[in-house]
Amino acid sequence: MVVDDHPMWRDAVERDLQAAGFDVVAVAADGDQALARFPAARPQVVVLDLQIPGPNGVEVTKSVLQTDPGARVLILSASGEQDDVLEAVKAGATGYLVKSASGAELLDAVRRVARGDSVFTPGLAGLVLGEFRRLSEPAGDTSITGNPELTERETEVLKMVAKGMSYKQIAERLVLSHRTVQNHVQNTLRKLQMHNRVELTRYAIERGLDSDDED
């Protein structure tokens, strides 16, 4: 589903996605249209502009994920401002690209977000991880021993997720198949009763898993 209030941009994104083999099940020009069309269309990925007529992209993200926690939201915005990025991620967005990204970068981001990866324009991933770390500091307990329900391998994969690594990078590092890594992440999500990698990353950072010295 493509949501953008600029017709030429919206049409271009829709056309590029369709040409790449994606099924665009709906488009919307503002927040109200997006929320009205989402329940029937049930897209796997929502490509969403932040600065749309109300409700804005942050509010749409929250509502979409309340309706379908398994959906993925990829923000495609002209803004790369810190506050905009963090608000979107806190609302549950799985990825954030600025509109200066190339068509190939957009298509790659949609594919990765659909697989469950977190995708950010270069430079933004560190910003997001840093903010999650700052917010988690008052929590106090940063030990990793409070998760006896996770296997050693699941904890190892979780550390790499917290560092912003993609499934492909994790698979290569651990000499596992892409599907095996996905299964470990899905099992971890189920055990922790979470819905996506954004929640998982926040959880891991709160426990200091992203600061592991092993590279």
Side-chain angles (χ1 to χ4, degrees), residues 120-198:
F120 297 95
T121 290
L124 297 184
L127 166 68
V128 173
L129 291 176
E131 178 67 6
F132 280 162
R133 187 182 298 112
R134 184 188 69 79
L135 291 175
S136 70
E137 285 174 356
D141 180 15
T142 58
S143 69
I144 64 174
T145 59
N147 306 309
E149 70 275 16
L150 298 183
T151 67
E152 183 177 348
R153 178 64 87 186
E154 286 166 351
T155 300
E156 189 174 20
V157 171
L158 180 57
K159 289 180 180 181
M160 295 184 180
V161 169
K163 293 176 182 178
M165 295 175 66
S166 69
Y167 288 157
K168 180 179 179 182
Q169 290 171 323
I170 295 172
E172 291 174 350
R173 176 70 64 87
L174 298 180
V175 195
L176 299 172
S177 70
H178 186 279
R179 182 176 294 277
T180 298
V181 173
Q182 282 184 310
N183 288 339
H184 283 311
V185 172
Q186 290 303 315
N187 287 339
T188 302
L189 287 170
R190 176 177 51 78
K191 289 180 179 181
L192 300 178
Q193 298 183 344
M194 295 179 182
H195 299 109
N196 55 54
R197 279 185 55 147
V198 173

Side-chain angles (χ1 to χ4, degrees), residues 9 15 36 43 50 59 63 108 133 147 193:
W9 185 269
R15 186 167 56 250
L50 274 188
E59 295 303 318
S63 296
D108 179 64
R133 187 182 298 112
N147 306 309
Q193 298 183 344

